[in-house]
Amino acid sequence: MSPAEQSQKKRSARNGWLLSAPALTLLFIAASGPLLIVLVYSFLTPGQYGNVIWKFSLDGWTGILFTRDIFDGTTNLADAHLTIFWRSVKLSLMTTALTFALGFPTAWFIATRPPTQRAMWLFLITIPFWTNLLIRTFAINEVIRNEGLMNTVLIGIGLISEPIRLINTDTAVFIGMAYVYLPLMVLPLFAAIDRFDMKLLEAGYDLYASRMQVLRHVILPIVKPGIVAGSILVFVPSLGAYVTPRVLGGGKNMMIGNFIELQFGQGRNWPLGAALSMALLLIVMAALLVYVRASTKGSNPHG
Amino acid sequence: MTQKVAITAQNVVKAFGQGAAAVRALDNVSVEIAAGEFFTLLGPSGCGKTTLLRLIAGFEMPTAGTILIDGADVTEKPPNHRPVNTVFQSYALFPHLTVAENIGFGLKMQGRPKAEVAATTAEMLELVKLEQMADRKTSQLSGGQQQRVALARALAPRPKVLLLDEPLSALDLKLRKEMQVELKRLQTETGITFVFVTHDQEEALTMSDRIAVMSAGKIQQIGAPRDIYTRPVNRFVASFIGETNFLPVDPSPHGARLSTGDVIAADGDGTVLIVRPEQLRLGPAGVGAGLAAKVTGVVYFGTDIHVNLMLADGTALTARVPSPVDGGADFATGQDVAVTFQPGAARLIRE
Amino acid sequence: MAERSFEVSRLPGFATIAIAVFVLLYLPIATLVVFSFNSGPSIAVWQGWSLHWYSDAWNNEAVKGATFRSLIIATAASAIATTVATMAALGTTRRAAFGGQTFIYVVINQPLMVPEIVTAVALLILFGVIKQATGYQGLAYLIIAHAAFCTPFAYLPIRARLEGMDLSLETAASDLYANPWQTFRHVTLPLLAPGIAAGAMLAFVISLDDVVITEFVKSGGQDTLPTYMLGQMRRAITPEVNAISTALLGLTIVLLTLFFILTRKKN
């Protein structure tokens, strides 16, 4: 490389950094940097009225799974915590499964519309995608609550005499999350199906495959990167959900997000809250890693 | 050369990538282009012709070597400080500007007075016959019209050298022929040096004053179109420009000895004998002189036919002879024929 | 009915499910909108048309304050986010790959990967310390927090626009004697403008919609519309919340429509 080429390259890299510096600073102050503080706080001792005492302790991390009996000092598995974790994981997996079952046909339907209609159908999915999550949670709440539209209508036509009590149950949280996160599943699926070459279907049918065999052996393997992307996009926010379980689950049907908030509120155990946040972050990072690996594998045609 | 030199490239090397993975797009290239010349860089894709053009324009910097424009060293000057303009393969017309604004862009950037910009723009619009399109957006133009805007835009600042990067490749055949004539006219009218990059040998042969044939980052041969066609210096040039028959030969005092034992008179020196298909004559077998050959196939091409032949030693040849309907003889597969060369047609080249 | 021709892309039951999904997706939103016009206090029993929940909301000082605050924060945050995102997009596209490019990309997109509740907790701790140290309790905390998580939303469409932009246009400008600043001013910026506008709109919508981070970062009396609405959930729900939601929904749809018009490819 000649000196001129080298200095040109150096200048280009330096300009790249300089132009990115304001964004990096902003994000370091108000996004990435604070995460380090949370990490530090997870190793401190809780203060009596919230906040922390600057004394090293592992109680925040052990507190995720164990409780210490205040009277005899023995350590036991924290059943209440495990229930919350199990509920979070279970509801998130169920939400992912349901949104896929509903989202795949929807994405397929949109992708196979004539080009003139496609933009309209896509826009119809995009509106809920960008609509305030709280508003959508409200909307589903108004339909499924005890005095809500669903029960009013069902009682009105005489199908049931007592309202179906869904609010403040896991089922309500499940329905709510599936409702609010469905567009997150449909959009990446659509993107994958949109790239799918429909000529491959003709080839499949030409080689004696039935419709279901084509779906199973041709379509699903090829759009797999989209399926993985959609599943991650639904699973990750489901696991960290805060608004939906708070509005539809009530105080009892907490998920991890609400449990974290509790530690910073009435629980007054900031180190435990911090450790829980870090644990949640680790799980999410692991899920993203799975995604990255699956999507790089997906780009290999022989994979 | 008695003429003034417009562009000099001295020992130019351009490597992409680093270390063992580095690829030499240009490998020690030296060339002089005379002022007022229509000079063509011809070669297959990846031969380095576009890289050389981009180095002259200043879009890339050479790894080694120097580039002079009009005698001044511009090797490290950015493109906006070089008196050359480029017609891009994709045209690169600014979509947010009108035709006139596109043409006046260079002058405006140079800070020329508004009146001058307007006058030159009008002049250029006239030169490329687009007066009516001045206020259109470039996206509303046809491919041929966009091509002419790109030309006018590059000519407007009156560059010392105009660089053209495969400018006709996006046009259909008929338009391409028209533009070839148009380009030649513009070059003669303006007297500007044109450096033209193409992979199309016909385009190069019909338009250029001189051609540099490039391959694998090196210039293989520089010369007038006629020289290049009739006296190629090596197998690459001979095969890239036109069709050629290659016959391995041994040197002989009277010319070249084929492996069949026949001796053929030939100029040049080397171990390969070349002859163009249209320079072969076919006659009845066993009558007079000629190489004995068997017809292995006949392909009809309209104005003429290509006769595929095989010599006694298995060497394949192709002859191009007039079509039977135009008075030529007809040939059938399996027929024995005698092949003769037109006088002076055979040449010896090195591998 | 028998198929007249064999439609390769048809899969049994898919269209039915899709239509059902669209109905289920819009039914709750439609209910929400319709009952915002209910004259009675119920959000399930229709009692006739009325606009009085809108005027109630409009005359509610708390709602007015929250609206005003939401708009200030969204405007300031999207302005900051769009500016830094535009610069970063210019810095990370269309140049030879340089060391650390992936790092920059990951940092900028980090808010998309970290659960909101985690960021919210982190900011609660950090800003709590700063609030105590400086005594400043103003809106700046919310604006900075919003600007940070809006940045990737502004960055992505701007970057996409830049990447789709023909590099030879800037090469052509420099060939035509434009210096780097002239090239930016006369070629890059005008061509990038729709991308910047689109990015700004997304950032604005994202800021306007945020609940979780705002809920944790806000000081007393700093409710935005979404946190005000979340607070109302604890009390009896009246169609006033529906009216606010409907207004917010309308604003989102207008901005999104503009976004789509701006990002739609020509031809």
Side-chain angles (χ1 to χ4, degrees):
Chain A
M1 226 187 244
S2 73
E5 277 178 302
Q6 240 157 13
S7 75
Q8 195 182 32
K9 204 173 167 193
K10 247 188 216 153
R11 200 172 335 121
S12 163
R14 197 195 57 204
N15 288 345
W17 277 103
L18 280 179
L19 284 166
S20 308
L24 292 179
T25 311
L26 175 66
L27 283 151
F28 188 75
I29 292 174
S32 313
L35 294 180
L36 296 175
I37 303 179
V38 178
L39 184 65
V40 172
Y41 268 50
S42 70
F43 290 106
L44 296 177
T45 309
Q48 207 177 350
Y49 304 103
N51 218 323
V52 289
I53 297 165
W54 282 81
K55 202 173 124 220
F56 177 82
S57 162
L58 279 175
D59 288 355
W61 287 91
T62 51
I64 294 177
L65 291 179
F66 302 99
T67 49
R68 185 171 292 148
D69 197 307
I70 0 173
F71 299 110
D72 59 11
T74 54
T75 308
N76 298 304
L77 217 52
D79 292 337
H81 299 190
L82 291 180
T83 313
I84 291 169
F85 300 149
W86 170 236
R87 178 185 297 120
S88 297
V89 172
K90 182 186 72 181
L91 288 179
S92 301
L93 288 175
M94 284 166 64
T95 302
T96 310
L98 182 63
T99 52
F100 175 71
L102 295 175
F104 188 79
T106 309
W108 185 266
F109 174 82
I110 299 172
T112 53
R113 287 310 90 198
T116 44
Q117 287 180 27
R118 204 177 306 160
M120 190 263 298
W121 288 107
L122 200 58
F123 192 59
L124 283 180
I125 280 288
T126 318
I127 290 176
F129 180 81
W130 289 111
T131 300
N132 196 329
L133 183 119
L134 186 65
I135 295 180
R136 282 182 289 145
T137 309
F138 273 163
I140 192 77
N141 180 38
E142 291 191 8
V143 171
I144 63 172
R145 63 208 294 272
N146 300 347
E147 314 84 38
L149 187 75
M150 183 184 72
N151 280 320
T152 313
V153 169
L154 288 180
I155 293 172
I157 59 175
L159 217 58
I160 51 172
S161 53
E162 283 290 302
I164 305 171
R165 299 198 177 275
L166 275 177
I167 263 350
N168 297 346
T169 66
D170 281 2
T171 313
V173 179
F174 171 50
I175 293 174
M177 292 208 300
Y179 177 69
V180 297
Y181 294 131
L182 182 65
L184 289 168
M185 177 64 89
V186 175
L187 289 176
L189 282 177
F190 168 79
I193 296 170
D194 196 37
R195 280 195 302 271
F196 179 82
D197 180 4
M198 293 294 166
K199 281 270 174 293
L200 294 176
L201 297 182
E202 290 177 4
Y205 292 126
D206 183 54
L207 296 164
Y208 316 110
S210 69
R211 293 214 188 256
M212 275 303 139
Q213 281 173 317
V214 161
L215 178 64
R216 159 115 174 61
H217 296 288
V218 182
I219 301 171
L220 288 179
I222 292 179
V223 301
K224 194 181 143 204
I227 298 175
V228 176
S231 303
I232 294 287
L233 277 180
V234 171
F235 183 76
V236 167
S238 298
L239 203 60
Y242 168 79
V243 172
T244 311
R246 175 167 160 183
V247 172
L248 298 173
K252 277 184 188 164
N253 300 66
M254 262 189 275
M255 287 180 63
I256 299 177
N258 314 91
F259 190 50
I260 290 173
E261 191 213 5
L262 189 68
Q263 305 314 317
F264 287 92
Q266 298 154 344
R268 289 184 185 155
N269 191 343
W270 287 30
L272 176 58
L276 284 167
S277 302
M278 285 294 118
L280 176 61
L281 190 59
L282 284 177
I283 299 171
V284 167
M285 289 298 139
L288 288 176
L289 212 62
V290 169
Y291 165 63
V292 170
R293 290 183 66 178
S295 58
T296 42
K297 240 191 235 162
S299 62
N300 176 1
H302 306 290
Chain B
M1 204 170 288
T2 53
Q3 276 169 297
K4 220 173 129 229
V5 176
I7 288 175
T8 313
Q10 287 168 341
N11 308 103
V12 170
V13 175
K14 178 67 186 177
F16 290 105
Q18 273 176 305
V23 177
R24 287 203 157 192
L26 287 178
D27 195 355
N28 206 13
V29 167
S30 295
V31 63
E32 283 193 347
I33 299 171
E37 198 176 13
F38 196 120
F39 192 88
T40 298
L41 298 170
L42 172 67
S45 63
C47 73
K49 56 190 193 299
T50 296
T51 305
L52 183 55
L53 196 80
R54 291 175 63 82
L55 285 169
I56 297 172
F59 306 142
E60 316 262 2
M61 289 196 181
T63 310
T66 18
I67 287 167
L68 310 174
I69 297 177
D70 233 16
D73 185 345
V74 296
T75 313
E76 296 195 1
K77 284 218 168 123
N80 50 327
H81 291 291
R82 297 186 187 207
V84 298
N85 291 131
T86 307
V87 177
F88 293 84
Q89 184 172 13
S90 62
Y91 312 147
L93 298 179
F94 302 123
H96 59 301
L97 302 179
T98 64
V99 168
E101 285 168 340
N102 262 283
I103 295 175
F105 190 89
L107 296 164
K108 191 175 158 198
M109 292 301 119
Q110 286 180 320
R112 304 276 182 83
K114 277 212 173 105
E116 189 196 329
V117 176
T120 311
T121 303
E123 195 185 320
M124 287 298 142
L125 281 166
E126 199 187 321
L127 188 69
V128 297
K129 305 183 186 109
L130 283 174
E131 297 95 323
Q132 268 91 57
M133 305 290 177
D135 296 322
R136 296 264 182 101
K137 286 271 163 136
T138 55
S139 55
Q140 295 168 291
L141 303 182
S142 70
Q145 288 168 333
Q146 291 186 355
Q147 165 71 77
R148 295 220 288 274
V149 176
L151 259 171
R153 186 179 72 175
L155 284 170
R158 303 225 170 272
K160 294 227 165 76
V161 179
L162 187 74
L163 307 173
L164 302 105
D165 185 7
E166 308 218 16
L168 308 182
S169 60
L171 304 179
D172 61 38
L173 186 66
K174 188 165 165 287
L175 211 49
R176 198 152 67 217
K177 298 271 181 209
E178 281 174 30
M179 282 308 295
Q180 287 177 8
V181 177
E182 182 88 1
L183 272 179
K184 196 67 194 169
R185 172 182 75 87
L186 285 170
Q187 199 251 336
T188 323
E189 272 180 32
T190 57
I192 292 174
T193 312
F194 275 33
V195 180
F196 186 87
V197 161
T198 184
H199 63 267
D200 182 332
Q201 42 139 336
E202 192 190 318
E203 214 166 82
L205 292 173
T206 54
M207 298 166 73
S208 321
D209 294 325
R210 284 198 304 153
I211 298 172
V213 182
M214 295 184 70
S215 159
K218 287 191 162 82
I219 294 184
Q220 304 291 330
Q221 186 173 3
I222 300 182
R226 200 174 290 261
D227 286 342
I228 301 240
Y229 188 79
T230 56
R231 287 197 289 279
V233 295
N234 59 26
R235 184 186 272 265
F236 175 80
V237 177
S239 65
F240 189 73
I241 300 184
E243 283 175 73
T244 310
N245 292 301
F246 295 94
L247 299 124
V249 290
D250 290 320
S252 151
H254 306 293
R257 183 191 299 277
L258 296 177
S259 57
T260 55
D262 300 273
V263 173
I264 287 162
D267 291 338
D269 82 302
T271 55
V272 178
L273 184 125
I274 55 163
V275 61
R276 302 284 183 186
E278 69 271 20
Q279 293 172 320
L280 293 177
R281 292 279 172 274
L282 302 182
V287 182
L291 305 172
K294 197 180 268 296
V295 175
T296 56
V298 179
V299 184
Y300 180 67
F301 268 85
T303 55
D304 50 22
I305 55 174
H306 290 195
V307 182
N308 299 327
L309 304 159
M310 192 187 281
L311 298 183
D313 64 349
T315 310
L317 282 182
T318 303
R320 208 159 108 191
V321 298
S323 175
V325 288
D326 300 326
D330 205 354
F331 297 93
T333 304
Q335 190 181 342
D336 287 313
V337 292
V339 182
T340 50
F341 291 20
Q342 269 185 34
R347 280 189 66 80
L348 287 171
I349 58 165
R350 290 187 203 90
E351 257 308 322
Chain C
M1 196 168 71
E3 291 173 67
R4 283 216 194 107
S5 65
F6 186 83
E7 213 186 304
V8 283
S9 64
R10 203 184 68 88
L11 289 166
F14 274 32
T16 318
I17 297 175
I19 297 296
V21 162
F22 278 105
V23 171
L24 288 175
L25 213 49
Y26 277 90
L27 185 73
I29 296 176
T31 311
L32 181 109
V33 171
V34 167
F35 279 97
S36 74
F37 297 104
N38 195 3
S39 61
S42 167
I43 50 173
V45 183
W46 184 249
Q47 286 165 302
W49 292 93
S50 160
L51 278 174
H52 79 91
W53 295 109
Y54 285 87
S55 64
D56 277 11
W58 186 245
N59 293 321
N60 182 335
E61 284 306 317
V63 173
K64 237 190 240 174
T67 308
F68 194 52
R69 226 168 278 118
S70 274
L71 291 177
I72 289 179
I73 293 168
T75 308
S78 59
I80 296 170
T82 310
T83 310
V84 299
T86 305
M87 291 173 69
L90 286 166
T92 51
T93 50
R94 308 175 318 146
R95 58 181 71 232
F98 57 94
Q101 216 167 354
T102 314
F103 169 80
I104 296 176
Y105 193 69
V106 169
V107 171
I108 288 175
N109 289 297
Q110 181 256 359
L112 301 178
M113 297 180 270
V114 176
E116 258 198 302
I117 183 78
V118 175
T119 310
V121 162
L123 290 173
L124 171 79
I125 296 175
L126 173 72
F127 290 157
V129 172
I130 299 177
K131 278 176 192 176
Q132 208 162 33
T134 61
Y136 173 72
Q137 303 268 343
L139 282 182
Y141 299 110
L142 282 171
I143 291 173
I144 290 173
H146 279 228
F149 69 72
C150 288
T151 298
F153 290 94
Y155 174 78
L156 292 173
I158 297 173
R159 182 188 148 102
R161 176 96 191 170
L162 270 172
E163 281 182 338
M165 234 160 86
D166 190 354
L167 247 185
S168 65
L169 292 175
E170 279 145 304
T171 311
S174 70
D175 183 57
L176 293 162
Y177 312 107
N179 62 35
W181 169 247
Q182 284 175 315
T183 304
F184 179 73
R185 160 85 183 70
H186 291 286
V187 177
T188 317
L189 197 59
L191 291 171
L192 187 56
I196 296 176
M201 260 164 225
L202 277 196
F204 192 88
V205 168
I206 292 295
S207 166
L208 209 58
D209 282 358
D210 180 71
V211 193
V212 180
I213 289 175
T214 312
E215 177 80 0
F216 279 69
V217 169
K218 73 183 165 75
S219 306
Q222 284 186 344
D223 264 324
T224 60
L225 268 184
T227 62
Y228 170 80
M229 283 159 55
L230 188 67
Q232 290 300 300
M233 286 302 291
R234 299 211 177 95
R235 300 177 199 115
I237 306 176
T238 64
E240 184 184 313
V241 170
N242 295 36
I244 301 168
S245 300
T246 304
L248 217 47
L249 188 67
L251 183 60
T252 304
I253 292 176
V254 168
L255 287 172
L256 276 182
T257 311
L258 282 174
F259 171 81
F260 272 94
I261 291 169
L262 281 171
T263 52
R264 198 179 49 195
K265 286 197 194 96
K266 278 178 190 158
N267 306 326

